Amino acid sequence: DGGITQSPKYLFRKEGQNVTLSCEQNLNHDAMYWYRQDPGQGLRLIYYSQIVNDFQKGDIAEGYSVSREKKESFPLTVTSAQKNPTAFYLCASSPRTSGSYEQYFGPGTRLTVT
Amino acid sequence: GENVEQHPSTLSVQEGDSAVIKCTYSDSASNYFPWYKQELGKGPQLIIDIRSNVGEKKDQRIAVTLNKTAKHFSLHITETQPEDSAVYFCAASNSNYQLIWGAGTKLIIKP
């Protein structure tokens, strides 16, 4: 059963703690993305990776870190330096073959930091 | 910089009527324009897309039109049903294989 999985669905943390959100895909896609979505808002790009062992900052990378050691996995760490970490986090992947821009999303992780 | 504007932010239509959502993009190099539907608490799902060499594409009750000269594209939903209620996002590609996203339209179908 192909797709993108994100875990957990809900995550609660205390302020000052780092937390890592999981994203796994078995679609054999080269590119992976992390977005943040605040209530009633659109999607803002945090980080993206077009190939294993390489990633680039998006529009709101401050306070976040990522790794891409395997094609299937693109975990996102929300560090204590992120001022407003409470949000809905979405992971996506894309084939990135010639002319293929479509992105496929996971179900999301809702992070609450108190 | 690259920008996609989406209107309206909220659209309320009677069940059975049509709904139209419009987007304008700024990057002349954009050549791929997808539309996504996001239900509450879920990830966005691709519902239809169009490439720059096509002016219109239809899939059952949904259609997308593209005017490259004016740099705008629209989503049309006919015979709306309660299950069409959701937030819809448009996007446009850039040269880095990224999508530039609109702010979203909340579509409400009134019974």
Side-chain angles (χ1 to χ4, degrees), chain B residues 3-111:
Chain B
N3 185 48
V4 173
E5 292 188 1
Q6 182 172 347
H7 298 281
S9 56
T10 304
L11 178 60
S12 184
V13 301
Q14 207 69 41
E15 183 179 348
D17 288 351
S18 295
V20 181
I21 303 170
K22 299 181 179 182
C23 288
T24 304
Y25 61 98
S26 61
D27 187 353
S28 301
S30 295
N31 60 7
Y32 174 70
F33 308 91
W35 286 90
Y36 285 79
K37 175 183 181 182
Q38 186 178 28
E39 296 177 345
L40 197 62
K42 296 184 178 180
Q45 277 195 304
L46 178 66
I47 56 171
I48 195 167
D49 56 15
I50 192 167
R51 298 184 188 274
S52 58
N53 57 348
V54 175
E56 183 174 359
K57 184 176 178 180
K58 197 173 181 180
D59 183 3
Q60 298 183 338
R61 295 187 298 108
I62 60 173
V64 56
T65 58
L66 171 65
N67 182 329
K68 281 217 77 179
T69 304
K71 293 185 190 170
H72 63 70
F73 57 112
S74 301
L75 177 71
H76 304 253
I77 305 175
T78 59
E79 301 171 8
T80 53
Q81 299 170 4
E83 53 264 37
D84 295 329
S85 293
V87 178
Y88 291 80
F89 290 98
C90 66
S93 64
N94 70 7
S95 54
N96 288 328
Y97 286 90
Q98 294 175 33
L99 294 177
I100 310 302
W101 296 87
T105 296
K106 183 176 183 179
L107 177 61
I108 300 166
I109 307 301
K110 297 180 290 186

Side-chain angles (χ1 to χ4, degrees), chain A residues 9 33 35 37 40-43 45 48 50 88 90 96-107 110, chain B residues 31-32 34 36 38 41-46 49 51 87 89 93-99 101-104:
Chain A
K9 190 169 177 63
Y33 307 81
Y35 292 94
Q37 188 174 34
Q41 303 296 314
L43 304 174
L45 183 64
Y48 65 102
Q50 296 184 352
F88 189 47
L90 288 159
R96 201 189 162 268
T97 53
S98 177
S100 289
Y101 298 89
E102 57 266 36
Q103 294 182 16
Y104 300 90
F105 285 84
R110 188 167 298 281
Chain B
N31 60 7
Y32 174 70
Y36 285 79
Q38 186 178 28
K42 296 184 178 180
Q45 277 195 304
L46 178 66
D49 56 15
R51 298 184 188 274
V87 178
F89 290 98
S93 64
N94 70 7
S95 54
N96 288 328
Y97 286 90
Q98 294 175 33
L99 294 177
W101 296 87

Side-chain angles (χ1 to χ4, degrees), chain A residues 27-44:
Chain A
L27 301 168
N28 199 34
H29 286 173
D30 285 317
M32 296 186 74
Y33 307 81
W34 273 106
Y35 292 94
R36 171 183 172 134
Q37 188 174 34
D38 293 287
Q41 303 296 314
L43 304 174
R44 292 190 289 170

